[in-house]
Amino acid sequence: MSSQITAPQVRSMKGDSRIVCLTAYDYTSGRIADRAGVDVILVGDSVGNVVLGYESTIPVTLEEMEHHVRATSRAVERALLVADLPLGSYGSSVSQAVDSAVRLVKAGANAAKLEGDYCDEVRAIQKTGIPVMGHVGFTPQSVHNFGGYKVQGRKNKSEVIRMAKSLDDAGVFAMVLELIPAELSTEITKSVSAPTIGIGAGIDCDGEIQVFHDIMGLAEKTYKHTRVFAHSGKAMIRGARQYAQAVRERSFPTEENSF
Ligand code: KIV
């Protein structure tokens, strides 16, 4: 078994090698991402829209996150496993944030991620020994505040920069920059000590994160910020059709599959 990547190692990759991050939500996707050699696997609260069929990440509960972290952690041997704190699990108080992060780590995560300007919470979680990843720009849990899925930092550039710098000062080991202009993420990447991990944030971030189902061709929609690297959804539908046909025409199971 190769040794597992740590949060300090991810931090030290800034300026050295690009950090490859991918979401995963269960044993199978975790195993695929880990065997492919990605550096960081995120059990994202995007599990809500991607796997559970919710409209957004907003309904996702801490219990649901724990369930998916447990499943994913059983497969992950090499990558750093980060888990998202869902909406309602860290916004009320510092102690709520610490308790929620502890639950995700007890479920198998190596680090926690939270969205937005929660620097006291970041410091307190880190004080308990749990590394924290930040997330600025478009933060999906605030979709109602943003008025939809919109690129951030065009009109409020200084606000996004200020937030990234505060999280950096609070000691995050990395931060996601989501849906912001490429020029802005270049500026942030140069002005913070933590590595930046982009999604819809241009090429100059220290690393990239994508949603498993988007790059594997399993999503219903396609987005400008992503690319399909494997057309798995089409292959699966084809496979299921061939299976159905074989069952109906009695060409499966054969003697080979029988006991
Ligand atoms: O939940 C998620 O998948 C995320 C990534 C898009 C960064 O937060």
Side-chain angles (χ1 to χ4, degrees), residues 10 25 68 84:
V10 170
Y25 309 103
H68 288 275
D84 256 337

Side-chain angles (χ1 to χ4, degrees), residues 8-114:
Q9 277 169 347
V10 170
R11 195 182 169 92
S12 70
M13 287 167 80
K14 187 176 175 100
D16 189 17
S17 47
R18 292 203 93 214
I19 303 163
V20 182
C21 314
L22 187 60
T23 69
Y25 309 103
D26 57 13
Y27 185 83
T28 304
S29 54
R31 186 166 47 86
I32 292 168
D34 201 52
R35 300 308 176 268
V38 311
D39 303 308
V40 176
I41 294 177
L42 171 71
V43 182
D45 59 355
S46 52
V47 68
N49 22 324
V50 174
V51 172
L52 301 176
Y54 298 148
E55 289 266 310
S56 69
T57 61
I58 287 171
V60 177
T61 64
L62 189 58
E63 288 71 25
E64 285 168 333
M65 288 304 300
E66 288 178 295
H67 177 75
H68 288 275
V69 168
R70 276 191 207 102
T72 311
S73 71
R74 289 181 198 118
V76 175
E77 292 178 357
R78 180 186 168 274
L80 179 78
L81 187 63
V82 182
D84 256 337
L85 285 162
L87 181 69
S89 73
Y90 59 97
S92 304
S93 65
V94 168
S95 63
Q96 185 202 29
V98 172
D99 293 348
S100 301
V102 167
R103 278 176 61 173
L104 293 179
V105 170
K106 283 189 187 288
N110 309 125
K113 176 166 86 58
L114 52 72

Side-chain angles (χ1 to χ4, degrees), residues 150-168:
K150 293 178 181 164
V151 173
Q152 298 300 305
R154 286 199 172 121
K155 289 183 193 138
N156 57 341
K157 183 177 162 184
S158 54
E159 171 60 11
V160 179
I161 295 174
R162 187 204 56 75
M163 206 185 283
K165 284 186 175 169
S166 317
L167 286 166
D168 195 40

Side-chain angles (χ1 to χ4, degrees), residues 63-248:
E63 288 71 25
E64 285 168 333
M65 288 304 300
E66 288 178 295
H67 177 75
H68 288 275
V69 168
R70 276 191 207 102
T72 311
S73 71
R74 289 181 198 118
V76 175
E77 292 178 357
R78 180 186 168 274
L80 179 78
L81 187 63
V82 182
D84 256 337
L85 285 162
L87 181 69
S89 73
Y90 59 97
S92 304
S93 65
V94 168
S95 63
Q96 185 202 29
V98 172
D99 293 348
S100 301
V102 167
R103 278 176 61 173
L104 293 179
V105 170
K106 283 189 187 288
N110 309 125
K113 176 166 86 58
L114 52 72
E115 294 183 4
D117 201 359
Y118 285 92
C119 295
D120 291 341
E121 288 73 6
V122 168
R123 285 194 183 87
I125 295 169
Q126 298 201 136
K127 201 171 164 197
T128 65
I130 300 170
V132 184
M133 183 183 258
H135 187 158
V136 303
F138 177 77
T139 45
Q141 292 171 15
S142 305
V143 62
H144 295 316
N145 241 353
F146 293 135
Y149 291 82
K150 293 178 181 164
V151 173
Q152 298 300 305
R154 286 199 172 121
K155 289 183 193 138
N156 57 341
K157 183 177 162 184
S158 54
E159 171 60 11
V160 179
I161 295 174
R162 187 204 56 75
M163 206 185 283
K165 284 186 175 169
S166 317
L167 286 166
D168 195 40
D169 291 344
V172 294
F173 74 91
M175 68 180 81
V176 170
L177 305 183
E178 180 165 355
L179 289 189
I180 62 171
E183 212 178 292
L184 175 56
S185 61
T186 306
E187 189 175 337
I188 293 173
T189 301
K190 282 185 188 151
S191 56
V192 294
S193 62
T196 57
I197 311 294
I199 174 165
I203 189 63
D204 283 337
C205 293
D206 299 302
E208 177 75 12
I209 185 158
Q210 286 285 323
V211 167
F212 185 91
H213 290 55
D214 289 343
I215 66 157
M216 297 300 181
L218 292 166
E220 285 174 336
K221 293 185 203 157
T222 54
Y223 306 95
K224 184 175 164 70
H225 67 263
T226 191
R227 183 192 290 174
V228 176
F229 287 86
H231 294 274
S232 319
K234 283 184 184 151
M236 283 180 177
I237 292 170
R238 228 178 9 254
R241 280 208 188 105
Q242 285 166 4
Y243 164 70
Q245 189 183 345
V247 169
R248 288 187 188 116

